[in-house]
Amino acid sequence: MFQVVTAFSLVFSVLYVIWYRSDRPHHKAHGTSTIAVLGLFTTLVTTALVPVDVFLVSYMKNSDGTWKPWAEGEEIRESLKNSVLYAYYACYSLIFLFSFVIIPSNYFYHGLDMGLAEDDVEPSLSQKICHSFKYTLLSVFLFTILVISGIFLPFNGSPPSNSTEWQKIEWFFDELEANNGQDLLLFILNTLNIIGVSFLILYTGYGLSSLPCGLIRPTHSVRTRRTAVEIEIEDLERDIRAIEDRNNGGQVTGYEQTRLERLEQQVRLLRREHRDLDQRAKSLVSRCQLLMRPFQMVFGVIFSVFGFLLFLSLLLTNVDKALHSGGIYTGYSLVNSTLPNPADMLLVFTQQVFPLDYILYSLMVLFLLSCSISGITNIGIRCLCLLVYRVRAWRTPPRGMLLAVLLLMFIILAQNVIMISLVPDYTMFGNQHYIQELPDGNISVNRCSAKNMPTMKVIRHKTPTSIIPLL
């Protein structure tokens, strides 16, 4: 299933870039398209790794809480866990490379092409490279600041007070080596997540309503436009007849003669447009759109219900955290959940039938991604409410395409974090069971969940690797 979803992610990335990139000759930039595809594809793979991680950890154990024979060895389990963890590290490292080096360098590479007239001389290759290198250094400088901050921010205590300045620096690097750079990676990743959450609130939040409403409401189809043109032609012909009736057999004044000629010219243009629309209405694409219109409305209703389900799950989870967690001192983490979570319960239940949970999780991510794309298309790429680029099919310039993909990358990273609140039991535990020793000496088998956190001695339990890089 991971291979299938990975292949689908690559196809989706290619189709998205081909659909929205500009087809004008002076906007041809195959390198930009390749970078956009690879950046979006790498970010989607991080999302596809989560259900694989959950499945592998759940597959290690039987329903009675015991390890399966092939997973009884601690070395085997650690090896499998490290393999998934290294896959996370590789994907996130590539995302950092695209976010701070590759996409900015290509964005500024095309900066000298902006605002050139048709008769202007195109900048040389060396000028473009110098311009790109100069402004990419700023992005690399920001990344360097994040790395230095991630090294010297004390996550696990602080250096001894009686140590020298050099010993304090050595203490920070020893801590970095002790946790294999995990704190540094989390700091940089969560910095991007903060940016991504702001974009998710703006674009995905708007897209949750614009996507279903756009499918349900009537569209301006070819036939609708053709009917409107016919009405305009009838109105203009009525005005022409009124002028001719007022001057029947008499001399037409200069003003009315000019108006008559203008109306006749408008009628000729509208009739030409009517012929074009009539030909388009008879095409196969237009007829398929007409046949798909009922299904389009049905999908709009389904997406509305699905969006409300996600909203309800997030609402119940966050209300539960606000009422029953330790607050800011524990990061609003639930020890024992109280309110139900419909989406989480559905994914945990369907995990019993592989790969139904994988399909539902992928559809959930795809739905949120589609809402984000709808929000970016309708709102456009803006900076402080000022429109920078419009994202339109076959009309988005290379720089606008890069910014759109960068926005989607940040939004997908934020979605990975939101999924822990949306489906907490599924992402943290899957369908695992653990063996618990009761006070009377008996053994109890329970399913791992935030609703039933163990307060007594847990004999067997394991957490997916996804909890490490995503929290």
Side-chain angles (χ1 to χ4, degrees):
M1 281 303 300
F2 176 70
Q3 296 175 356
V4 173
V5 174
T6 302
F8 175 78
S9 301
L10 180 59
V11 173
F12 177 86
S13 303
V14 172
L15 292 179
Y16 175 79
V17 174
I18 292 177
W19 181 265
Y20 282 99
R21 71 177 183 181
S22 177
D23 56 357
R24 297 176 181 178
H26 61 282
H27 283 163
K28 292 294 183 181
H30 300 291
T32 299
S33 301
T34 304
I35 290 173
V37 169
L38 293 178
L40 183 58
F41 168 69
T42 304
T43 314
L44 288 174
V45 169
T46 61
T47 303
L49 275 172
V50 175
V52 172
D53 189 6
V54 174
F55 167 76
L56 289 176
V57 175
S58 300
Y59 190 63
M60 292 181 184
K61 304 178 71 175
N62 297 309
S63 58
D64 59 356
T66 59
W67 297 109
K68 291 186 177 180
W70 65 270
E72 289 181 351
E74 182 69 21
E75 294 181 356
I76 297 177
R77 298 197 298 268
E78 288 298 321
S79 175
L80 187 61
K81 171 186 173 181
N82 291 332
S83 299
V84 179
L85 185 60
Y86 294 150
Y88 280 120
Y89 284 161
C91 290
Y92 287 134
S93 300
L94 287 175
I95 291 174
F96 296 158
L97 183 63
F98 274 98
S99 301
F100 290 98
V101 179
I102 298 179
I103 291 181
S105 62
N106 196 264
Y107 178 84
F108 293 116
Y109 177 82
H110 295 283
L112 293 178
D113 297 335
M114 299 298 296
L116 291 178
E118 295 182 358
D119 54 348
D120 291 342
V121 179
E122 184 179 355
S124 63
L125 180 62
S126 60
Q127 290 177 330
K128 291 182 178 180
I129 293 177
C130 291
H131 184 268
S132 173
F133 180 76
K134 180 174 61 177
Y135 287 97
T136 306
L137 286 178
L138 178 61
S139 177
V140 176
F141 176 71
L142 293 176
F143 181 74
T144 305
I145 292 177
L146 290 178
V147 172
I148 295 175
S149 302
I151 292 176
F152 292 102
L153 282 179
F155 288 97
N156 300 314
S158 57
S161 58
N162 58 352
S163 58
T164 63
E165 294 298 328
W166 179 251
Q167 289 175 340
K168 291 180 180 180
I169 295 177
E170 288 183 340
W171 181 89
F172 282 111
F173 281 97
D174 290 339
E175 287 293 318
L176 181 67
E177 183 179 0
N179 57 35
N180 297 322
Q182 181 176 315
D183 290 342
L184 173 62
L185 178 65
L186 284 176
F187 175 75
I188 301 175
L189 178 60
N190 287 329
T191 303
L192 298 184
N193 286 335
I194 292 174
I195 301 174
V197 167
S198 62
F199 292 144
L200 184 140
I201 294 172
L202 175 63
Y203 293 108
T204 310
Y206 182 83
L208 281 171
S209 59
S210 66
L211 179 62
C213 291
L215 294 174
I216 294 175
R217 68 186 179 191
T219 57
H220 298 288
S221 61
V222 176
R223 289 173 174 79
T224 304
R225 177 57 183 164
R226 185 179 61 179
T227 303
V229 170
E230 292 175 352
I231 295 175
E232 290 182 22
I233 292 176
E234 292 179 358
D235 293 339
L236 292 175
E237 290 179 342
R238 187 182 304 109
D239 294 339
I240 292 174
R241 287 194 299 269
I243 294 175
E244 292 176 347
D245 291 340
R246 285 198 304 268
N247 300 277
N248 188 14
Q251 184 68 26
V252 180
T253 62
Y255 170 76
E256 290 192 341
Q257 181 66 31
T258 303
R259 184 185 176 193
L260 184 62
E261 292 176 355
R262 186 176 66 252
L263 293 175
E264 290 176 348
Q265 183 180 5
Q266 292 178 0
V267 169
R268 288 193 297 269
L269 293 175
L270 288 174
R271 284 176 178 172
R272 183 187 304 172
E273 183 180 359
H274 184 270
R275 288 194 298 269
D276 295 338
L277 292 173
D278 191 55
Q279 292 295 328
R280 291 171 57 186
K282 295 178 182 178
S283 64
L284 181 61
V285 175
S286 179
R287 293 180 179 180
C288 290
Q289 290 178 347
L290 186 63
L291 292 176
M292 292 296 294
R293 178 57 188 161
F295 300 99
Q296 185 178 351
M297 297 181 65
V298 171
F299 276 112
V301 175
I302 294 175
F303 288 167
S304 299
V305 175
F306 196 53
F308 178 76
L309 175 65
L310 299 184
F311 162 75
L312 183 63
S313 299
L314 276 176
L315 178 65
L316 292 175
T317 300
N318 286 282
V319 169
D320 200 3
K321 288 181 179 181
L323 294 177
H324 304 106
S325 69
I328 60 175
Y329 301 103
T330 59
Y332 291 98
S333 59
L334 278 174
V335 178
N336 289 284
S337 62
T338 304
L339 301 178
N341 187 324
D344 196 17
M345 295 167 60
L346 180 62
L347 279 177
V348 172
F349 177 76
T350 55
Q351 196 184 28
Q352 302 175 13
V353 183
F354 180 80
L356 190 57
D357 66 308
Y358 205 121
I359 296 174
L360 289 177
Y361 187 90
S362 302
L363 289 177
M364 194 178 301
V365 172
L366 183 62
F367 172 71
L368 292 175
L369 184 60
S370 301
C371 293
S372 304
I373 293 174
S374 176
I376 293 175
T377 304
N378 286 279
I379 298 177
I381 303 175
R382 295 178 178 270
C383 179
L384 302 177
C385 299
L386 299 177
L387 183 63
V388 180
Y389 289 104
R390 290 188 180 274
V391 181
R392 294 289 185 266
W394 305 304
R395 297 180 184 178
T396 310
R399 287 160 63 94
M401 193 75 248
L402 288 173
L403 286 180
V405 169
L406 190 61
L407 287 179
L408 285 178
M409 291 173 62
F410 288 157
I411 289 174
I412 293 172
L413 288 179
Q415 286 180 4
N416 291 339
V417 180
I418 293 298
M419 294 302 286
I420 295 182
S421 295
L422 185 61
V423 283
D425 282 356
Y426 176 78
T427 53
M428 288 194 292
F429 308 110
N431 194 31
Q432 294 184 86
H433 292 74
Y434 65 93
I435 300 176
Q436 189 176 38
E437 183 179 346
L438 301 177
D440 56 2
N442 295 325
I443 298 298
S444 174
V445 178
N446 303 315
R447 189 181 68 81
C448 299
S449 66
K451 186 177 182 179
N452 189 24
M453 281 287 190
T455 56
M456 292 167 284
K457 183 180 178 181
V458 177
I459 299 179
R460 295 182 179 92
H461 170 63
K462 191 169 185 63
T463 304
T465 314
S466 61
I467 200 67
I468 296 176
L470 292 184
L471 274 182

